[in-house]
Amino acid sequence: NCIFLQKTSHVLIRMIKQRRLVYKIPFKLEVVKYAKEHGNRAAERHCGPPPTERMIRDWRKQEDQLQKADKSKHTFRGHAAKWPQLDVAMKE
């Protein structure tokens, strides 16, 4: 953990840099299922923060996309191609 010192107006704030955690899609879907039955806050307590309540809310909004996605992935990375036909032509 790196410690950063940040000065805002006249107060010196100590900030600790934390690593971002990565969750696979099956775990996200499991948490969403639990949250549907018991609520977001209960799911946070059950699965332990993190994931936070905010993350669980976002995952519940993405549930349809998560179910359709490749289960070995972590998340939706990258953007959809603007010209998919051009990509196909380039591969050929």
Side-chain angles (χ1 to χ4, degrees), residues 1 14 22 29 37 44 70 75-76 83 89:
N1 288 341
R14 196 169 149 203
V22 182
L29 289 171
E37 295 172 8
E44 177 188 13
D70 181 6
T75 186
F76 312 111
W83 301 287

Side-chain angles (χ1 to χ4, degrees), residues 12-59:
L12 194 61
I13 299 173
R14 196 169 149 203
M15 297 169 42
I16 297 175
K17 184 177 179 183
Q18 295 181 353
R19 286 181 51 113
R20 292 186 59 184
L21 298 175
V22 182
Y23 302 97
K24 290 213 179 242
I25 289 178
F27 175 74
K28 293 179 182 181
L29 289 171
E30 185 180 323
V31 172
V32 167
K33 181 181 174 187
Y34 189 89
K36 281 184 170 182
E37 295 172 8
H38 304 282
N40 294 345
R41 294 178 125 186
E44 177 188 13
R45 285 190 301 269
H46 179 73
C47 299
T52 62
E53 182 186 4
R54 172 66 190 193
M55 295 166 84
I56 295 169
R57 282 196 311 264
D58 290 341
W59 295 347

Side-chain angles (χ1 to χ4, degrees), residues 1 7-8 10-12 20 26-27 30 33-34 36-37 40 46 55 60 63 66 74 81 85 87-88 90-91:
N1 288 341
K7 187 172 183 177
T8 57
H10 65 284
V11 179
L12 194 61
R20 292 186 59 184
F27 175 74
E30 185 180 323
K33 181 181 174 187
Y34 189 89
K36 281 184 170 182
E37 295 172 8
N40 294 345
H46 179 73
M55 295 166 84
R60 287 182 75 171
E63 183 180 11
L66 289 171
H74 291 287
Q85 296 85 7
D87 287 347
V88 171
M90 294 291 287
K91 287 180 184 176

